Each structure stands twice: as structure tokens, then as C-alpha cells.
Amino acid sequence: MLAIPAVADEIGERFRAAGHQLYLVGGSVRDALLGRGGEDLDFTTDARPPQIAALLAGWADTIWDTGIEFGTLGARRGDHVLEITTFRADAYDRVGRNPVVRFGDSIDGDLVRRDFTVNAMAVEVHAPNGDRRFVDPHGGLAALAAGTLDTPATPQESFADDPLRMLRCARFVSQLGFAPAPRVVEAMTEMAAQLARITKERVQAEFSKLILGAHPRRAIELMVDTELAEQVVPEVPAMRLAIDEHMQHKDVYTHSLVVLEQAIEREDDGPDLVLRLAALLHDIGKPDTRRKEPDGRVSFHHHEVVGAKMVRRRLREMRYPKVVVDEVAQLVFLHLRFHGYGNGEWTDSAVRRYVTDAGPLLERLHRLVRSDSTTRNRRRAAALQRSYDSLEDRITALRAQEELDAIRPDLDGNAIMELLGLPPGPLVGKAYKHLLSLRMDRGPLAHDEAVAELRTWASENGV
């Protein structure tokens, strides 16, 4: 059933000749059984780190020892990246998540400490009798066939050792489409608060992998149902309290999950972290802006402004890079702008501002806005899509007339300083913004016209 790469046979023979066991293990076995084999391979062995290093020397193209304190050495051989770890029998203090590293002596002892049974399978590479031995003491193959996530030990014991495994469970739900066993869900619900022991950087890394998976909605729903989301993105479960402005059957939480799925359908170049985060979080400002109007309707005025601020705060706390924070927040801030377009009432100036404010995020904004239509009213949905088609056609037409994506004032900062005799400073910036506003409203100006407008502005402002 398993296609073992030739590089595994090569390194297996070196270990066998030196009297050591070597097993392909964990995700490498799981993915091979799923037909998802890759270039990265994980091994475990009875050899200690110095012995592993000696066996890799002269065979691997590159060796690195950044994980040697945990018994792991990495190597590259051709296109393959290998990680080889000594059998582990760790103990955890259950305060942080760092184990007290203790090497083990058996493959069974190593497998029982792994996170899930589908990751607790191993294949002995070049056993002494020449056969490959499949090791599955915890029913990982059956769990794989059933699409079930369960733990080798009890879930309580496993998650107490490493609470990050709860979030990893949700990540595997997203990536593999599997379902957690009932006892795993129960333990996650009981122990969700223990995720606070994990560093924000590690939580963010797992959450990003989850969002980029094939089934992120399932994973988010699991996180919300087990209250794990309260530890990671509490604004998401908070959306369950807000009914949308059309008083429809769905709440804002469900609506946001549908928008996420529809945004994924519009991706054309692989998973897009920024787009997916914006789709999930675009309405998180609604609970804080929910108001009941005199006519009985519910409104969420300026929820895009509040939501953008909330997004910045949450993503910063999760330690996302600044560029991700800025881009997601800007998409959330802009996602309602289109609804002022109506049936095409925007002037060319308004269209230019829309494009300029979106900047390099314009294509993502297109996808987010189109995905934000989740109404079951087919006539309304079709009208919204036609209206956005019209806006995109307007943008295309304007692009044909001018460099819409790089709109700048007709005079740059150097020209402003020269014409007005100004040194660098705030006044130059104010003049620049004035000319940019004119450019938005009237399109490109002739040079003499731009100079005249600049001098008029300077006179009116005492410059």
C-alpha cells in the first residue's frame, strides 16, 4: 500500500548496517497512505543524536542540528528533506508545553506519545530480514479509513501534555476533512482554557494552517462548539449574538462562514490567507454596533470601521506580520464601500477613489465583496452581481483611459517645492493631498492647469 521513496531505502540501509532501527513515521506514513506523498520525510530511530549525525555525514547534501536538543537532526538529500529523531519517552510539567526530553528505547513507546492515532503509525525501513514492518499499535489505519481523529492515550492525558494538540485537531479537520472522536470533542470542551499555556506565535501558526486548509469552516465550527475559539478568536463566536440587518434566518456567524466558503471558491491561485481572514472577520464589528431602530429593524452603522479596528487588535495579539494585519484590516474597512454604488450612480471620481483606496488589494476586494452576498433571494443576489459587474466594467474603462492603479497628483513633491519655494515639510504634504483630490475628482490635469490650481491653493492658504 505504501510507496516508499528510494531515499528512505538508502538511509535505511545505512542505519541497518550500523545496527540501528529506522522507521518512517507520523505524517509521512499517513500522507503516503492517503496518496499525498511529498518531499519531506520524518523518521524515528533508536540511534542517539551523535550516531545519527555520523550516519548522515558523507551521505546527506546538507545537515542541520537546530532541533538536536529534542533529539532531532535535519538533512537534505537531493529534493528530499529528512528529519530524524531519536525514540522519545518525554514527560511534561503540564505548566508550559516544553517536554523534559527523555530518549526512549522502542518504537511502541515513541508512538504512544504522538498526538493522534493517524499519526502514530510507522514503517520499518530495511529491517534486518529485509522486510518492511508496518507498526500500528493504536489502530491508526482503521482511524484513517474511517476519517476519525482520536488519540493514542486518553485525550485528557494527551492534551494535558500539550494543549496545542487541541488546535492541531481542528487543523487536521480542515486539512484532511476528518472528524474528531466524541471523546476528543469532550476533552477539547473541558480543557479549552489550557490553550492559554501556549505561546501566541505557535497558536497563530496552527490557526493559519487551519484557515488555509481545504475545509476551514468545519474547523471553525469545531473551535466554536468546543469553546476553543474563545482562546484564539473570541470575536468569531461573539457574532452568534447578532442577527443580520435583513432580519433573515441566518445570524452573522453563519453568514461569515458562508462568505468564507464563497471567497475560497473565488480563489484562482491557491489558498489566500489574507482573503480568508478578511472573509471570516469582515463582520466582527456588528455585535458592538448593533442597534434596534424605531421601525423595529436592526442596524449596524459603521460596523466596517469598528470591525477594522478590532481586526487590527486581534491579529496583532496573534502575532501576525504587519503586512497581513494591514491588508486584512483594509479589506474589512472597505468591504461595504460598494453598497453606495447603487445602479451606477458613482461618478468617475468615486470609482477612482475606490480603486486607489484598495490599491494592490483591489482583486481581493472584488472577491470579498462578491462573496459577501449570501441572500437566498435570487433576484436580489442577481441584482447585486450585475451591479458589481457594472462597477468592474467602469474600472476597466477608466483603466483604458489612464493609469488607474498608480494615480498620482499631476505635480510631485519636488515640483510643489520648486513652484512655491517651500522646504520639505507638512505644507508640501497638504499641497500634495489637495492636488491628489483634484486628480480624483477631475482626472488628469494639463501641466499649466495643475500649476494654476496649486497657486490658487497656496494663495487661499497663505502660503
Side-chain angles (χ1 to χ4, degrees), residues 11 14-16 18-23 43-56 68 70-73 84-88 103-106 110:
I11 189 64
R14 290 178 72 87
F15 275 69
R16 186 200 65 77
H20 292 294
Q21 304 168 52
L22 185 69
Y23 294 85
F43 297 89
T44 188
T45 178
D46 61 339
R48 297 305 194 249
Q51 296 168 317
I52 297 173
L55 289 167
L56 291 173
I68 196 167
F70 299 108
T72 300
L73 276 83
I84 304 175
T85 303
T86 302
F87 292 155
R88 296 270 289 276
F103 297 137
D105 298 311
S106 71
D110 180 272

Side-chain angles (χ1 to χ4, degrees), residues 416-429:
I416 291 170
M417 288 188 288
E418 182 179 347
L419 286 165
L420 299 182
L422 291 174
L427 280 176
V428 177

